[in-house]
Each structure stands twice: as structure tokens, then as C-alpha cells.
Amino acid sequence: MTTYGSFPGTRPRRLRTTPVMRRMVAETRLHPADFILPAFVREGIAEPVPIAAMPGVVQHTRDTLKKAAAEAVAAGISGIMLFGVPEESKKDAVGTPGTDPDGILQVAIRDVRAEVGDELLVMSDLCLDETIDHGHCGVLDAEGRVDNDATLERYAEMAQVQADAGAHVVGPSGMMDGQIGVIRDALDQIGREDVAVLAYTAKYASAFYGPFREAVGSSLKGDRKTYQQDPANARESLRELALDLEEGADMVMVKPAGPYLDILARVADSVDVPVAAYQISGEYSMIEAAAEKGWIDRDRAILESLTGIKRAGARNILTYWATEVAQRLL
């Protein structure tokens, strides 16, 4: 090859020559503290129940949930987000298990706090979909539509019982208008000013939630397009962000993560509060399924997907691989 003077004088490849070189100049690093583990606990089971659509993930018993929390502490991750799955017979039109102090989620919060204390942030899903017989995130009006303001009353009650059970952080995921303000007021009214609110600020009506329906035993008929965001819209997420911050959100989140990295980057560039992203069930299951087929390198694909989420601006990542990846990073 003919060369001209010192061409090429600038060679970016020099900074890629060895693993140590690449590590030294890496712009984005994953750390165990970045991660939050979503976990499901199911009422009335004696053994963990594998979730067929999410290989490697289970519906926990109370005892195995405590073990998972202890493993999370040992791996150095920051939090565990709890989802309670009540017995089907206990679901009703208003989601009574969600406000029952002895409901499975509240029991699980107490269990985990007793097991790990303050060594792990115990976070609770604040939504009615797992506890309600029609599977929507709120109560219905006479015409079968989700009633925003009636649902807020239920969310206020849920926030209080979850805080009383010991939640460090509540995560309202229903996308009801005004939910952050109502929940913040409800917590403050009972002297729980120290309980943080993680706002599901940009939660999209995504096809990638599919496996989650099995995980929580969802009774949903239809869809949630009237309250979750339209995947076609981006600016709308910034409007939701402004409202959540005005109402008192301590942290904000984008969900799903991978298909909405552009939204995540916009949100992260716009705020001075911590930003989280939820790598949801469909994102998890696609990688696991492709790896099982031998089509991709599982471990590399997991790390690459998580690195992309952090690079886009997430301070924290909810992922079903949280403990596994944290253990690899230790």
C-alpha cells in the first residue's frame, strides 16, 4: 500500500489494542450498585414456580425470596423491586390485596426487611394490576374505563400500607395522572417523609411486556393504551417528566429500556435527579431465547445490553440479571 507522509497519523485503533487498554479508556462502566432486582413472590406456594416465558426467573415463595434478597446483598446490588402475586380467589374489582396489611406484597416487604434490614433498598410495585380481577392498573367506572381519580384514592392507601410494611421506596407504575402528588401527600400524612418515590415517568404501552403477564398471573383483557404512553411519541415523555418532578418525584424511570434509549437519553439530559431504566421481561426473554438457540453469545449480549442502557443515561437499571451480572463484576 502506498503511504503519503505520516498518513494516517491519527489511529483510533491504538486505544483498542489490548484488554487492559480498552478497559482503561472505557467511557461507561457497569457496577453492582447500578442494579435493582425485580422479584416476584406468590402467595400459597410451597416451592418456587418457574416462569416458562422467562427462563431462569421464578415466582418465589416467602422463604426463597428472602434467600434471593440475601444473595443480592452479597452481590452488592442496590435494591430489590417486589411484585406480589395473590391467590386468584382474593382478587376483586378494587384490588383489595393491595391495601390489606396482610396482602402478599406487604408480607413480602416485611420479610425482606427482616432479612436484610437497610443493606438493600426494598422497593415495592405500587399498582393494582396484580391484585385486581380485570387486570388493569386501576378501578373501572360504570362504562368499563379506568377511572383515574378513583384509582388515585386506592394508590394513596397502597402507598401507606407499603410504607408501614417497611418499603424504602415505592414505585407507582400505573401511569395515572397526578399519581406522584397524591402518593407523596399520602406518605407525608402518616409521617413517612423518608420513603422515596420512584416515578415510572415514561412507561410505554409496549409489546415487550408479554412474559411479565405470566410472571404476575395477569387477568388483563384488552390493553393499556389509554393510560400508558404511545410508542410513537417522544416529547410527551418530557411533559410527563415535568409533571412528576413538580409533584415531588425523588427518582424517575423509563420503561422499557432497550427500545426507548432515545427517551432515556432525553430524560437523563433534562434532570438533576437519579434516572432509572427497566430492562423488561421481553428484553430479557429475547436474549435468553436467542442464546438457548445458540444464535448469540449470552453473556456478551447481556453485558452489551446493560452497557447500552447505562451509556444512554441510566443511573440505575432494573434487570432480571441483576444478581448474576453483579456477581460477575465483583
Side-chain angles (χ1 to χ4, degrees), residues 64-137:
T64 64
L65 178 66
K66 290 187 287 186
K67 181 180 178 181
E71 290 174 349
V73 170
I77 74 173
S78 291
I80 186 167
M81 176 66 79
L82 301 179
F83 296 85
V85 184
E87 293 179 356
E88 194 68 27
S89 62
K90 294 184 178 179
K91 295 181 180 181
D92 59 23
V94 295
T96 297
T99 50
D100 181 353
D102 294 320
I104 183 58
L105 180 54
Q106 287 69 252
V107 168
I109 293 168
R110 291 195 292 271
D111 284 345
V112 175
R113 281 300 302 270
E115 183 73 19
V116 301
D118 292 330
E119 293 186 85
L120 186 70
L121 288 176
V122 178
M123 304 178 171
S124 54
D125 179 57
L126 202 165
C127 194
L128 289 167
D129 58 329
E130 295 105 29
T131 63
I132 211 158
D133 56 13
H134 50 71
H136 276 287
C137 294

Side-chain angles (χ1 to χ4, degrees), residues 2 6 10 13 27 31 106 130 149 175 194 202 210 281 295 314:
T2 302
S6 60
T10 301
R13 286 182 57 186
E27 299 173 23
H31 187 278
Q106 287 69 252
E130 295 105 29
D149 295 0
M175 291 298 288
D194 56 338
S281 60
W295 293 342

